[in-house]
Amino acid sequence: MQCYTELTFPTAVTHSLSLPFLSASANNLVVAKTSLLQIFSFKSVLSETNPAFDGPLETRRQSTIVPGTTITPSAGQKGDRAHTTKLVLIAQYELSGTITSLARIKILGSKSGGEALLVSLQSAKLSLVEWDPQRYSISTISIHLYEREDVQGSPWDADSLDHVNYLSVDPRSRCAALKFGARHLAILPFYQAGDDLVMDDYDPEIDGERSEPSSPILKARDEKVNLEKTPYAASFVVSLLALDPSLSHPLHLAFLYEYREPTFGILSSQAASSSALLHERRDCLSYTVITLDLEQRASTALLTVTNLPYDLFAVIPLRLPIGGTFLVGANEVIYVDQSGKTNGVAVNEFAKVSTSFAVTDQSDLGLRLEGSVVEQLGLDNSELLIITSTGELAIVGFKIDGRSVSGVSIRRCGEENGGHLMLTGPSCTSIVGRGRIFIGSEQADSIVLGWSRKADKLKRQRSRTDVTIDDESDASELDGEDMEDDEDDLYSGAKAQEEAKELISETVIADNNNDYRFKVHDKLEGFGPMRNIALGKISRSASEFADSASEQELLVSTGCGRAGGVATFTQKIRPVIKQEYSIPDAQKIWTVRVQISADMQLDGAIVNEMDKYIIASRIISGSDAQSAVYKISSGGPEELTDTDFDPEAGATFEVGTLNNGTRIVQVLSNEVRTFDAGFGLAQIVPMTDEATGAEPKVLRASFADPYVLLIRDDTSVLLLRAEESGDLDEIELGPSLQKKEVRSGTLYEDTNDNFRLEFEDSDDEAGNVLMFLLTKGGGLQIFRLPSINKPVYVAEGLSFLPPFLAPDFTVRRSQAREILTEILVAELGDSVQKSPFMILRSEADDLTIYQPYQAPIEGTVDTTLRFLKISNPHCSQKPYEFETDGLDEIKYRPLQVLHELRDYSAVFLPGDFPTFIFKSASSPLQLVPLAGSPVNSLGPFHTSSCERGFTFLDQKGHINVAQLPLDIRCETGWVTRKIPLGEEVQALDCHSSSQTYVIGTSSKTDFKLPEDENHPDWGLETTSFLPRVEQGTIKVLDRETWSIIDEYPLDPYEIVTCIKSLSLETSEHTHSRADLIAVGTAFLLGSDLPSTGRVYVFDIIPCVPDPDFPQTSRRLKIIAKEDTKGAVTALSSVGTQGFLLTAQGQKCMVRGLKEDNTLLPVAFIDMHCYTTVAKELGPPATGLCLLGDAIKGVSLVGYYEEPYQLRLFGKSNSHIEVLAADFLPDAKALYLVVADADSNVHVLQFDPENPKSLSGQRLLHLTSFHTGRFATSVTLLPPVNGSDTGAQMQNRSLLLTSITGSLGLVKALDPMTHRTLAALQSHLQTTLPHPLGLNPRAHRTAATGVDDGIAGLRGGILDGVILRRWLEPGRWRRWGDGEGEEVRKALTYIGKVEGLL
């Protein structure tokens, strides 16, 4: 019984799309990351740029130029400052499916006025969604399923899941086509009333009475179809063979521009193309243009271009002013116009060898176009951008002669123009504005790339007329009402564009001074693909915060090619400690920043921006509370005694400043004191109630200049206002606030008018300070100060915690209210984007976060304020401690706002589990814990020695001044640090004794056939365009500086396949051991040569360092090197004697290190095809080994030491394509968790006592679970308590990595916890809304066909992604009120990674 949980969302971008989604005038970007859908807007900011075109360098002076969702035109640089376009995340959704395509559809009557989004998923599904401004979320219009048995082909055809499904949409949104299966096409028509396409030449005097239209487009116009019910017509499925019998092997299709009817171009062949059959199928492809008749469900082939090169793979439709189609191949590109005329360009010398098609020779470019992406550079640009699989940029230009293209040319982008900015190949591209393009990548960071030209105008050559068109305009500027449609051409485009083609003939004359210049504007960090991970105990440096609870660190290999590197993942923030000191008996601390007059300044005006004082609240001798004030100095805090500050006044409750920092306010439990900048006493405001004589105590305080809000223990409110003189005056409360029913409150300065609340009191001047009050009944009241007579916003249903909070929200007959204890409204974000959030704290210490938004009022142009509940999967780990509802008996530590925490505006939750709340512009809100002991108090700290840092008081009484490390990011919910290496990392492991990591990298090198007597023709190779293969290197990475300190180059064409740090026996006589590095390699010599490999054994020894680089005090020393007949694919320790298990070829051998530094084989076992995994259960060493085969499944092998032998215990009954696997011990049960090539996780058990296992010879296949992630490694995490042998076999976890850049966790559950969570999962699957209308239960069902007859009897794998949404529904729909504490503990357990930082 296990549970699968995703620790981080995928980061590899697979698809992207630009469209007006949030509104008709919006400019949005939709990004798909496998199963994660993100919606972005854009923001233009002013930032400093690097003249080397390596991207913008954001500084503190960065300021907003254009807020909102639109992009300003690219501005020229002024000095070192320029406009940069930044991504701002609007929403994200975790889907129960894998996205295969995105498309935009213009539908009638959309809720937002913008366009709709059509998403295709695996298993031939289409989902149509739109933006709902009322709910500030996506709304699913429809879902279409086409995976049916009656559309399958012949019995020997592959399953539909094995085919690539992709989507193409008509440019005028008349229909969409989903290609699925081998050769099936699903057509989904859309209504488009008033479209120009429905305007025909009907004349009632000549044609007589008009017949009833049957086309869905005509019906929408003439019969006024109820578009609110369905914006689409009935879809239908056709076979491509029915459209044209020659389309037996389709490669790619796309809808074309400039046609009156929906028309697509398709690239296909009658026989499968293959480079191995090039002598027989040289030019076997054909390009066919087919127009669809949606009314008759018929089609017509307009033209066919045959005998095209075999390596073409993509159809790129082009907009005007070029039009036509651009075909992309591996060695050439071909342009096809509407009449079928072609122009081709060869980009390397293999084009003339592989095809007889006439192409222009530009083989000197030396481009490899496999996996490349082509995008037209804007709507008004005739040139194309090619991005190759290695990240190279090239520009395609067209020579236009009249109405046709007479030539195509390609030129590279040099490094001086930013041609090196893409480090690896893209997965998708989208034009996101004028001079801006988004480039998504699965192998590196995705970037927003901008371009410009030095010259404002292009050089053009005149042809038949004397017409000149500037670069800022295009041919569309020649259109007008006097240009009528060409009646002779039924498939012509707009007449204006055609006349423009006829008038001009241009040749773009490009040179290095007039070409495109690229720069990076923004990026989305990507960690895919994760190939391998390393776990190791690493000692901390003096500047790093120590945490004795766990010392394990996780290092992951990320990226491909030049984007390769490693990244560290930690669960908690480990701040850089700048200073540590102690204030005796301190319980809480505050830092004070004051404005000092000019005559008091000593160090210049900059001191006004720094923190000057620390106020500490102390408890002396048990219950005697005092306060003290300290001056911040370089040597530590110095207590001030010669001021009016009275330490005997009692414990300080809160501290703030008013009047632009000239007044210091000290809030005590029974009074409020104000001081000037030098702590001279200015005023004392007692808490005595003049009407009743009572002396209520202050429970909460909030500041927003010039107001102070106090919430007292009798649930009353006291609001003070600072006058110009600095004195505090009490503001008389309105009738609604005199009832004394306020539980908590906060003040927020709405400088940018985000809430847009009207100020109705005309007697007072409207201010920008809002007062949020949480009533005792759980309602929300908002006042716009200084008016407090009547709230401007009331929402009584806040305590129900609904997904969408509105003033009219009510729940009938429900008592399921959450007991809320604190409310805080604060800005969260970074230097790019900051926005307010409302944070609610419950009695159980759960945090509920709401985001305000403006919802339109139906029938008007006005909007109303609503709140959207932000998904927060983090349950409080705090047990229930409150036994009474009395507010005065609840002790708490209030949430702390940090306005300047490096580049963030954050909120901190103190307590036993201290946590930061972060939000960056391009990522969702994240809760990240702080490492170390519980924190009693934390506040901002900004001095010359610690800029934009923080200081905190831990439970031990230590006060630490710290900063966030500059090289970490928290966008994933984990603390990450990327270390680029410029090479692809194939394997890595940690060498704990030397505090280093050993990594195996590879770089591309040219492959040339070796000289061989048996193959004399190899020496006749004359090509200069050589294939490129990987060349491996073994490197040592220093943990302190994250730099390479030593390396060992491998032989040509030799790559690293696996690295393990093992404790091996180094002497046969003394049996001494040492921590050594074992490395397995393979030689890449082609498919016609036998594979070979090597086993290396290294030691890391101390040496004399370079004086300039003290970290180079260690280096590699080779101990042993052994050649093998097969590639070494896996390594592991085995047994108790310090031997090495190697998987080489079709054998697995146990080797021992001899005195003469050779590896002696002592035992072996024959395997099947290709061993991908070899692992031993331990520590301690058990001799039980797991061996996984890429085709035949997994085997359990036992190793015996007397005599030496490997014996097969059991193997899987089914053929599983094993990619990664590991043991998962759980008490007395032994499970094997296997990840296959279909993104499934299988759980097998070794149980010799079960009759179905045939005495253990057959591994029982218990269950399968579809993760949707292509796993690359499965690693058993070490036990929490290494000394407890019993604990090592319980509560163990498996960590999964994937090519999508996500981390997953498989946890073993006890039966009681499994039953509780299984019931919760069933409830959530039926009650939660699921984006795109997808079924999470069907998504997690693995289509394996494996059935051992025991599946489900012992409990399947639970879906932790669904379970962690427990807090998402409203309080009245939450499951498990009676078992809330058990559910909370279980949910905390399944997401907790023991043994890691």
Side-chain angles (χ1 to χ4, degrees), residues 787-920:
S787 174
I788 56 176
N789 295 325
K790 181 181 179 181
V792 295
Y793 188 88
V794 177
E796 296 295 342
L798 178 62
S799 59
F800 290 107
L801 303 180
F804 301 92
L805 179 64
D808 55 352
F809 173 80
T810 57
V811 177
R812 297 181 180 179
R813 295 184 238 176
S814 176
Q815 301 297 325
R817 290 179 177 266
E818 187 77 27
I819 301 178
L820 302 177
T821 61
E822 186 178 359
I823 182 174
L824 176 68
V825 178
E827 286 190 346
L828 297 175
D830 54 12
S831 58
V832 176
Q833 175 78 9
K834 295 179 182 179
S835 55
F837 290 84
M838 182 172 67
I839 305 174
L840 304 173
R841 191 175 181 183
S842 70
E843 190 182 39
D845 235 9
D846 286 327
L847 295 182
T848 304
I849 304 173
Y850 281 93
Q851 177 185 1
Y853 70 94
Q854 297 295 324
I857 301 176
E858 188 175 356
T860 67
V861 295
D862 299 329
T863 60
T864 182
L865 176 64
R866 290 188 177 182
F867 292 87
L868 172 66
K869 190 176 181 181
I870 303 298
S871 177
N872 176 24
H874 299 272
C875 292
S876 171
Q877 303 179 45
K878 176 181 177 180
Y880 287 102
E881 299 176 352
F882 309 115
E883 300 178 356
T884 175
D885 291 336
L887 190 62
D888 55 341
E889 298 186 20
I890 297 178
K891 295 183 180 180
Y892 80 108
R893 302 180 181 95
L895 297 169
Q896 178 66 47
V897 181
L898 303 171
H899 295 290
E900 293 183 352
L901 186 61
R902 208 178 74 182
D903 295 330
Y904 295 101
S905 290
V907 172
F908 180 75
L909 172 66
D912 295 337
F913 303 96
T915 304
F916 285 102
I917 304 177
F918 289 115
K919 174 73 172 69
S920 66

Side-chain angles (χ1 to χ4, degrees), residues 658 665-674 681-690 696 698 708 710 712 718-722 726-731:
L658 297 177
V665 182
Q666 179 192 18
V667 179
L668 305 172
S669 61
N670 55 357
E671 64 184 17
V672 175
R673 298 191 174 196
T674 63
L681 182 62
Q683 186 183 10
I684 298 178
V685 181
M687 292 293 106
T688 304
D689 191 340
E690 298 179 358
V698 176
V708 180
L710 303 177
R712 298 181 287 192
L718 179 62
L719 184 63
L720 305 176
R721 178 174 180 174
D727 294 336
L728 296 178
D729 291 337
E730 181 178 352
I731 298 179

